[in-house]
Amino acid sequence: MKLKMGYAVMLLIVFLCHEVSSISILPHKHQTISLLKFKQSFTIDPSASYFLSWDTSRDCCSWNGVVCDGITGHVIELDLGGSGLVGTIDSNSSLFQLSHLQTLDLSRNNFSNSHISPEFGKFSSLKHLDLSGSYFSGQIPSEIFHLPNLEALYLENNDQLSGHFPKIKWNSSASLITLHLSGVNFSDNLPESIGYLTSVRYLYLSDCNLRGPIPESISNLTRIESLDLQINSLNGTIPSGVFSLPLLISIYLRDNQLQGQLEDFKSNSLNEILLDDNQLQGHLPHSIQNQVSLSWLDLSFNNFSGRVDVSLFSNLIQLRHLSLSYNNISLTNDNNITLPDSLVELELAACEVKELEFLRSAKLLRQLDLPNNKIQGRIPGWAWSNWNLSMTYLNLSHNMLTSVDLIPLQSLQIIDLRSNLLQGSLPIPPNSTTYFFISHNNLTGEIPSSICNLTSLVMLDLGRNNLRGEIPQCLGNITALEVLDMHHNNLSGNIPTTFRNGSSLSSLNFHGNKLEGKIPQSLTSCKQLEVLDLGDNHLNDTFPVWLGTLPQLKVLSLRFNKLHGPIRTSRIENMFPELRIIDLSYNAFSGNLPSSLFQHLKAMRTIDLSMEASRYDGDRYYQDSIAVVSKGYEREVVRILFLYTTIDLSNNKFEGHIPTIMGDLIALRVLNISHNGLEGPIPSSLGSLSLVESLDLSCNHLVGEIPAQFASLTSLEVFNLSYNHLEGCIPQGNQFQTFENNSYEGNDGLRGFPVSKSCGDDHVSGTKSAVSGQLDDEDSNSEFLSDFRKAALMGYGSGLCIGFSIVYFMISTGKPIWLARIIVELEHKIMMGRRKKQRRQRNCRRRNNH
Ligand SMILES: *[C@@H]1O[C@H](CO)[C@@H](O)[C@H](O)[C@H]1NC(C)=O
Ligand SMILES: *[C@@H]1O[C@H](CO)[C@@H](O)[C@H](O)[C@H]1NC(C)=O
Ligand SMILES: *[C@@H]1O[C@H](CO)[C@@H](O)[C@H](O)[C@H]1NC(C)=O
Ligand SMILES: *[C@@H]1O[C@H](CO)[C@@H](O)[C@H](O)[C@H]1NC(C)=O
Ligand SMILES: *[C@@H]1O[C@H](CO)[C@@H](O)[C@H](O)[C@H]1NC(C)=O
Ligand SMILES: *[C@@H]1O[C@H](CO)[C@@H](O)[C@H](O)[C@H]1NC(C)=O
Ligand SMILES: *[C@@H]1O[C@H](CO)[C@@H](O)[C@H](O)[C@H]1NC(C)=O
Ligand SMILES: *[C@@H]1O[C@H](CO)[C@@H](O)[C@H](O)[C@H]1NC(C)=O
Ligand SMILES: *[C@@H]1O[C@H](CO)[C@@H](O)[C@H](O)[C@H]1NC(C)=O
Ligand SMILES: *[C@@H]1O[C@H](CO)[C@@H](O)[C@H](O)[C@H]1NC(C)=O
Ligand SMILES: *[C@@H]1O[C@H](CO)[C@@H](O)[C@H](O)[C@H]1NC(C)=O
Ligand SMILES: *[C@@H]1O[C@H](CO)[C@@H](O)[C@H](O)[C@H]1NC(C)=O
């Protein structure tokens, strides 16, 4: 009996020991091996010190990032976020042997665009899985959505990840609290089953390529605090009940295509409401005034309408950001009250704001964006003193202000006062200013040299005023300056000669002044220069061939000056490598056409199909920049110039033959060498200019026939050979059906359609095509793009300082929806401003020198 008992006890002990060792000792060994194998399957950034403690002489439970269960000893937490792993995780990875994991964080590593293994779905205890920002690609395995105990899933910031949003009830739908899938490409509708995630508190699905309506079942998420569906293509109306969700704090639906009216806000926990960039309409709900916790409200870029009184917001004492820009609303202030003094950023563009009194108590304002309103007179004195310390961004452009006395705002960085009715002398903003725009006003007097105290200036736009006197020499000394625009003023004297190495200047525009003297050679120090427009001045110099060394120069306009002499190039190898627009028209250049120049011009010799040719408006250059800054997006802005490749040498005294080599400039879209003294035949090589849309050789002494190769110029829209001595048959077919008599008049020897002398057996009828019909119709403002293009093709440069180049801005990261929208807006603006077209000159009247 005793013996038996002893045996039983012994058995028990053996059993216990076995259990203990199998639970805690062996697992450690296995786990250690698994962890080490996992680590060894990666190359680890040598600078990363994350794994220093991963030393086999120590218990793996003490390693950095490893947490074990206190009782069982199992690894339950592995936190390798940002630990420098580079490599892939295969299905046979030893990671998947750590089957007791509850928390797994592999975020911010580099898994080299590998797929997420379905094995992740086998961690049945997993509560917290973070694979964000780790270069995973491919489909999300559905197994992940079947994890039964999941509380938080982070897969965001994996650009290449796609998948299907689960259409069934998730196993974890009762436990999931955080779901962060932003950036995953679902290209799908959001399923009704999302309503099963009844425990979810944080739902982030921005930029997921989601379409269709937001399911009504979203209102079942009664615990939700943050709902982020921004930057998708969701349409339909916002489901009723969303704004009644009792715990909702932030709702981001901006940048979708949502329609309909806003229902009353019933939850009163709301902090942030971002609904901008949709197609919402109707009146703003009155219940906004009860949202006393509201700190951020953005309803801009919708179709909301009606009167909106300041009193709607005056009780929102937490409100920091309010944006109602670009709707159809008009702001009223019936009771003469003020917006809350908590306000930091206010955007009320195009809201029919008439005065600033409602901002009297907003003393913390940092950004004030009020363009396109009806503010008149002067900016009240209290404004300057209230905002003296805080204001960094002030946009009052496109209003009716008549005077600004002084701008003593100490923190100001960006000030935009364009397109007002400002009179008097140029106000000088504080020296903290980086962007100063005050073009399109009626400022008079000289530019004070104290403007050079603004040593941080990046952009200075003084164009379209009545400023006179000399341009301060010291401006060349501001090395941060990228854009210097003084076009259309009455400035005289010489161009500053002080440009220095290290200059950041990329755009210099002095078009339309009375500047005289020479073009300063110091401009060769401006290695970043892309746009140089000195047109319409009184410059008296020879061709500045030394500009050819500027590596970035894309646009060079010297039209309407007193430049003279032959154009010779130096022996430098690669001259004007990036030049796409050169306009030397209306000068007194002489000698042969510069074939030595045409041998260079690398950018005009290659067609880059990836670069869509488009238009350019000088203003856009700045608009985009200011938009970038004002929206607070700290992203790097990459400027890319897509240009309308053009050579305009018209109205000079060039002589000799048209060089055959011009046929090599195959990217050309506009070629104008009219009104010169050119002789000889038209080289057939010009038939290689397959993109050319406007070709003007009129008013020269050209002889011979029109090369038959021209019949293949199918892009040609404007064609002028008039007033030469051409003869023979006019090529037929393609575009040639669309040109009219005036393309050929003044050439007595030409025959064939459309001139009356017949050319053998052609029976082409005289019907005009749609193209020429439109060209003649002064009032058809069909479409902006074609409209502008035609204007450009006709060689008219009025209004526009730089002919017809285009500047596009691209943002290197992110999805610049807001930028696209600014461009759309601008195009609208440009279109409205350009209703007038000018007729092409139809004869060889010599230019009337201005
Ligand atoms: C895991 O599988 C991959 C192929 O899927 C193979 O290349 C690799 O050698 C395997 N690793 C181990 C440790 O078995
Ligand atoms: C990620 O790793 C791959 C090599 O697997 C490398 O080519 C790539 O540049 C890395 N990406 C980053 C952002 O470090
Ligand atoms: C999760 O649900 C799917 C079906 O919806 C089921 O096949 C699977 O077994 C479940 N997984 C777990 C771990 O419960
Ligand atoms: C998203 O996926 C769809 C279809 O799978 C594809 O057509 C689209 O290009 C993808 N979008 C992005 C941004 O990768
Ligand atoms: C949402 O709630 C409604 C009513 O409470 C219910 O009928 C419906 O089935 C729920 N939908 C989902 C997907 O949970
Ligand atoms: C939503 O967009 C889809 C196409 O993605 C379209 O078929 C549908 O008619 C749109 N619905 C509404 C309400 O506009
Ligand atoms: C509005 O109130 C301010 C004082 O807060 C006063 O100076 C101003 O005259 C009032 N304006 C009108 C139109 O009543
Ligand atoms: C700006 O002006 C203030 C005085 O108004 C001066 O103290 C400060 O040094 C100046 N800053 C620069 C960058 O010139
Ligand atoms: C500009 O100011 C001058 C006087 O300074 C005035 O004669 C002229 O009418 C003003 N032009 C506009 C458009 O206000
Ligand atoms: C601005 O520069 C002028 C000289 O051009 C100087 O007299 C003046 O003190 C400077 N003002 C400030 C505020 O720095
Ligand atoms: C420009 O800078 C140079 C060198 O620092 C200096 O000698 C010159 O006086 C400055 N010119 C003006 C006009 O400020
Ligand atoms: C250009 O300047 C020279 C002297 O440098 C002068 O002789 C000539 O008349 C000027 N030309 C014009 C058109 O003013």
Side-chain angles (χ1 to χ4, degrees):
M1 201 47 196
K2 257 189 179 167
L3 193 79
K4 257 193 167 175
M5 270 278 278
Y7 182 68
V9 168
M10 219 175 83
L11 267 182
L12 190 64
I13 289 170
V14 168
F15 175 76
L16 277 177
C17 283
H18 184 261
E19 267 310 288
V20 167
S21 63
S22 77
I23 287 167
S24 81
I25 300 168
L26 278 180
H28 271 202
K29 213 165 143 197
H30 283 153
Q31 293 180 151
T32 306
I33 292 169
S34 298
L35 285 168
L36 280 179
K37 268 190 173 169
F38 181 63
K39 181 193 142 194
Q40 279 155 11
S41 67
F42 297 99
T43 48
I44 291 164
D45 182 349
S47 66
S49 53
Y50 199 91
F51 292 100
L52 287 180
S53 63
W54 284 41
D55 177 341
T56 41
S57 66
R58 295 163 65 179
D59 181 356
C60 70
C61 295
S62 70
W63 291 356
N64 197 12
V66 180
V67 174
C68 300
D69 185 282
I71 296 168
T72 65
H74 292 129
V75 176
I76 52 168
E77 213 177 302
L78 185 57
D79 175 6
L80 301 180
S83 60
L85 303 176
V86 180
T88 64
I89 303 177
D90 298 312
S91 295
N92 53 10
S93 167
S94 57
L95 173 70
F96 300 116
Q97 285 157 16
L98 303 169
S99 57
H100 298 273
L101 280 178
Q102 294 173 15
T103 294
L104 177 58
D105 183 352
L106 298 173
S107 65
R108 294 169 287 121
N109 288 297
N110 179 356
F111 297 114
S112 313
N113 287 329
S114 63
H115 290 198
I116 298 177
S117 165
E119 296 291 308
F120 280 99
K122 296 206 173 138
F123 290 116
S124 56
S125 313
L126 213 53
K127 292 182 178 163
H128 182 108
L129 177 60
D130 189 349
L131 303 179
S132 63
S134 276
Y135 299 93
F136 279 112
S137 72
Q139 296 269 317
I140 303 173
S142 58
E143 284 82 354
I144 285 191
F145 299 123
H146 294 158
L147 288 166
N149 296 308
L150 210 55
E151 290 172 8
L153 176 61
Y154 301 89
L155 298 177
E156 79 275 13
N157 294 332
N158 288 296
D159 287 354
Q160 311 284 320
L161 217 49
S162 56
H164 291 289
F165 203 89
K167 294 209 170 23
I168 42 100
K169 189 170 177 173
W170 304 26
N171 305 38
S172 59
S173 57
S175 59
L176 201 68
I177 292 169
T178 304
L179 183 61
H180 201 331
L181 303 178
S182 294
V184 175
N185 182 0
F186 289 114
S187 52
D188 210 352
N189 285 24
L190 209 50
E192 194 68 26
S193 62
I194 194 155
Y196 289 123
L197 300 176
T198 47
S199 55
V200 87
R201 299 222 293 261
Y202 312 101
L203 183 61
Y204 303 111
L205 296 171
S206 77
D207 199 5
C208 284
N209 201 3
L210 292 167
R211 313 176 177 149
I214 302 175
E216 290 285 339
S217 64
I218 202 108
S219 323
N220 288 19
L221 309 184
T222 51
R223 305 242 176 107
I224 199 160
E225 294 173 20
S226 291
L227 175 61
D228 180 357
L229 299 174
Q230 63 181 323
I231 319 178
N232 283 295
S233 305
L234 298 166
N235 64 9
T237 58
I238 301 175
S240 64
V242 166
F243 289 107
S244 306
L245 287 166
L247 304 175
L248 195 61
I249 292 173
S250 334
I251 177 162
Y252 296 174
L253 300 179
R254 51 183 288 274
D255 211 336
N256 279 290
Q257 286 130 40
L258 298 167
Q259 299 166 346
Q261 307 209 0
L262 277 190
E263 62 174 292
D264 264 342
F265 298 166
K266 295 211 183 77
S267 53
N268 48 19
S269 48
L270 283 162
N271 245 300
E272 299 176 316
I273 303 178
L274 275 68
L275 303 178
D276 46 308
D277 265 299
N278 280 291
Q279 293 143 28
L280 299 167
Q281 40 174 278
H283 294 266
L284 303 192
H286 277 296
S287 48
I288 288 179
Q289 62 190 344
N290 305 328
Q291 300 300 318
V292 288
S293 324
L294 205 57
S295 75
W296 197 289
L297 179 64
D298 194 336
L299 303 176
S300 60
F301 293 93
N302 278 290
N303 299 327
F304 291 115
S305 55
R307 287 161 49 98
V308 174
D309 198 81
V310 171
S311 58
L312 193 60
F313 311 102
S314 57
N315 291 333
L316 309 181
I317 55 169
Q318 313 265 17
L319 196 63
R320 291 168 53 83
H321 179 107
L322 175 63
S323 178
L324 306 175
S325 295
Y326 299 108
N327 283 285
N328 296 317
I329 59 183
S330 63
L331 191 83
T332 59
N333 192 2
D334 292 345
N335 302 314
N336 192 18
I337 51 178
T338 59
L339 284 176
D341 46 11
S342 52
L343 216 53
V344 175
E345 291 161 13
L346 180 64
E347 300 176 354
L348 295 175
C351 289
E352 305 211 14
V353 177
K354 292 182 194 65
E355 43 86 38
L356 298 174
E357 207 59 40
F358 68 105
L359 294 176
R360 215 183 240 276
S361 51
K363 295 186 182 177
L364 301 175
L365 268 181
R366 245 184 264 151
Q367 300 197 4
L368 182 58
D369 195 44
L370 293 174
N372 296 292
N373 281 296
K374 299 184 171 163
I375 305 165
Q376 303 185 355
R378 59 180 352 113
I379 301 171
W382 57 257
W384 299 127
S385 47
N386 277 4
W387 303 331
N388 181 14
L389 294 175
S390 58
M391 189 69 76
T392 62
Y393 168 84
L394 179 61
N395 186 348
L396 293 167
S397 66
H398 299 91
N399 276 286
M400 296 183 284
L401 293 169
T402 47
S403 83
V404 254
D405 309 324
L406 75 174
I407 309 172
L409 305 170
Q410 287 178 28
S411 308
L412 197 66
Q413 288 176 10
I414 300 170
I415 179 158
D416 189 348
L417 296 170
R418 276 177 293 182
S419 296
N420 277 284
L421 304 169
L422 296 174
Q423 299 190 347
S425 55
L426 176 71
I428 301 297
N431 63 5
S432 53
T433 307
T434 51
Y435 296 78
F436 181 29
F437 306 99
I438 196 164
S439 64
H440 298 82
N441 278 291
N442 196 5
L443 297 171
T444 49
E446 303 198 2
I447 302 172
S449 63
S450 61
I451 197 158
C452 297
N453 292 7
L454 310 184
T455 50
S456 310
L457 265 189
V458 174
M459 293 196 187
L460 176 61
D461 179 8
L462 308 179
R464 299 212 174 242
N465 280 289
N466 289 318
L467 298 167
R468 60 184 162 76
E470 301 206 3
I471 298 173
Q473 282 287 323
C474 57
L475 276 174
N477 272 12
I478 303 180
T479 49
L481 203 59
E482 291 174 14
V483 170
L484 180 55
D485 190 343
M486 301 190 168
H487 79 273
H488 284 280
N489 278 286
N490 282 318
L491 299 166
S492 54
N494 292 321
I495 296 174
T497 55
T498 48
F499 300 103
R500 291 186 296 174
N501 280 337
S503 157
S504 312
L505 208 60
S506 71
S507 176
L508 181 65
N509 189 350
F510 291 154
H511 191 109
N513 282 286
K514 296 180 177 139
L515 299 171
E516 39 187 46
K518 293 181 184 292
I519 301 169
Q521 291 232 14
S522 64
L523 281 173
T524 47
S525 309
C526 305
K527 298 292 184 218
Q528 316 291 325
L529 201 62
E530 294 177 0
V531 176
L532 178 60
D533 190 345
L534 304 176
D536 206 354
N537 278 292
H538 303 325
L539 300 171
N540 177 354
D541 201 351
T542 54
F543 181 70
V545 62
W546 36 267
L547 286 174
T549 59
L550 292 177
Q552 308 291 336
L553 193 66
K554 295 179 173 66
V555 178
L556 174 61
S557 173
L558 301 174
R559 63 186 280 136
F560 268 125
N561 274 292
K562 297 175 178 167
L563 305 174
H564 52 81
I567 294 181
R568 295 203 189 87
T569 54
S570 63
R571 298 199 174 277
I572 305 167
E573 267 304 297
N574 188 8
M575 300 276 293
F576 295 106
E578 287 295 324
L579 200 66
R580 283 140 213 257
I581 289 185
I582 180 165
D583 186 347
L584 305 180
S585 61
Y586 296 96
N587 279 290
F589 288 117
S590 56
N592 289 334
L593 280 189
S595 42
S596 55
L597 175 65
F598 303 140
Q599 281 159 8
H600 298 277
L601 304 177
K602 204 168 113 227
M604 296 200 195
R605 294 171 158 264
T606 41
I607 297 176
D608 186 347
L609 287 177
S610 68
M611 288 199 178
E612 274 293 302
S614 307
R615 307 118 292 136
Y616 160 76
D617 177 74
D619 274 356
R620 182 183 297 170
Y621 202 83
Y622 319 128
Q623 285 279 5
D624 293 349
S625 311
I626 196 168
V628 170
V629 183
S630 71
K631 280 281 184 176
Y633 289 79
E634 295 286 330
R635 294 169 175 154
E636 189 196 357
V637 179
V638 182
R639 284 196 314 258
I640 302 174
L641 289 156
F642 295 106
L643 300 166
Y644 209 84
T645 313
T646 295
I647 293 181
D648 190 345
L649 305 178
S650 64
N651 293 285
N652 278 287
K653 297 173 182 166
F654 289 114
E655 342 167 298
H657 289 214
I658 301 175
T660 309
I661 195 171
M662 291 194 89
D664 293 354
L665 306 174
I666 52 174
L668 269 186
R669 288 171 190 268
V670 177
L671 175 61
N672 187 352
I673 49 179
S674 68
H675 294 89
N676 277 293
L678 301 170
E679 315 159 339
I682 303 173
S684 57
S685 64
L686 294 189
S688 317
L689 303 177
S690 59
L691 298 184
V692 82
E693 294 173 28
S694 171
L695 183 59
D696 191 348
L697 311 178
S698 65
C699 298
N700 280 293
H701 310 304
L702 301 171
V703 296
E705 303 199 351
I706 303 174
Q709 286 84 347
F710 278 22
S712 61
L713 297 178
T714 48
S715 304
L716 211 51
E717 282 184 32
V718 173
F719 184 53
N720 194 351
L721 299 179
S722 62
Y723 299 99
N724 279 292
H725 307 301
L726 298 168
E727 53 193 22
C729 291
I730 294 169
Q732 296 299 313
N734 294 336
Q735 295 302 101
F736 278 83
Q737 300 312 116
T738 67
F739 305 130
E740 294 174 72
N741 250 330
N742 50 44
S743 292
Y744 308 107
E745 66 190 349
N747 287 286
D748 294 337
L750 284 175
R751 286 173 289 131
F753 176 81
V755 302
S756 47
K757 283 181 218 154
S758 122
C759 197
D761 54 11
D762 76 289
H763 300 290
V764 185
S765 75
T767 49
K768 285 189 285 178
S769 83
V771 176
S772 70
Q774 273 175 24
L775 275 172
D776 270 2
D777 183 357
E778 295 280 321
D779 295 323
S780 90
N781 276 295
S782 49
E783 193 195 332
F784 166 67
L785 197 147
S786 64
D787 194 14
F788 179 81
R789 240 179 30 182
K790 277 181 226 140
L793 292 171
M794 289 173 188
Y796 109 83
S798 93
L800 265 191
C801 31
I802 302 164
F804 8 83
S805 53
I806 186 109
V807 180
Y808 260 29
F809 280 84
M810 299 208 63
I811 305 298
S812 62
T813 52
K815 194 175 158 197
I817 287 289
W818 53 273
L819 185 61
R821 132 193 126 193
I822 283 163
I823 289 174
V824 168
E825 234 177 84
L826 263 164
E827 290 195 343
H828 181 71
K829 197 186 87 190
I830 295 164
M831 186 173 82
M832 302 313 279
R834 289 260 183 66
R835 287 266 151 153
K836 278 191 289 173
K837 276 197 289 186
Q838 290 187 352
R839 273 189 183 272
R840 181 163 53 128
Q841 282 191 328
R842 292 252 164 102
N843 56 36
C844 284
R845 213 181 317 127
R846 254 348 244 191
R847 64 204 162 109
N848 42 342
N849 252 327
H850 58 300

